[in-house]
Structure formats: C-alpha cells, structure tokens
Amino acid sequence: MFYRKNLPGWERAMRSVAGVGMIAYGLLGMPAGYLIAGAGVIAIATGFFGFCPMCAMVGRRLPSP
C-alpha cells in the first residue's frame, strides 16, 4: 500500500535528527527511557517514509507538483 507523502523534505530531515537524539537520550538509563527511545523510532520512521498518520488525520497535505 502506498501513501501520499504529507511531510516536506526539511521536516523529514528534522524528524530523523530529532529521532536519533530521542533514542540517544532515552537509552541513558532513565525510568521512562525506553518510552522516549520508542518515540524516537516512530519519529525516524515517519521521517523516512514521509508520511505522518496524525498529520493525515487532521487533513495536512503537501501541495501538488
């Protein structure tokens, strides 16, 4: 199944960078560390695929080329 991308390129890059930071911060041994690291994995996945389900639920779309 193919989804139409709803994230611009700059936001995809920022989500990937932020996801790596969240994983690194989450694995420092905090009580909620695995939860933060899991959120980082989700951020990287949405950045990689260019599709955010929550953005799609509120109707966010990229302009057509």
Side-chain angles (χ1 to χ4, degrees):
M1 180 181 250
F2 294 102
Y3 294 101
R4 185 171 179 192
K5 294 185 183 343
N6 60 1
L7 297 176
W10 65 270
E11 187 173 347
R12 293 175 69 183
M14 291 304 295
R15 283 180 186 241
S16 299
V17 170
V20 169
M22 290 168 67
I23 290 172
Y25 186 74
L27 296 179
L28 289 176
M30 300 171 21
Y34 290 123
L35 182 63
I36 295 170
V41 169
I42 298 297
I44 289 174
T46 59
F48 179 75
F49 291 113
F51 178 78
C52 176
M54 297 305 286
C55 295
M57 281 181 25
V58 297
R60 182 178 182 192
R61 301 186 198 288
L62 286 176
S64 297

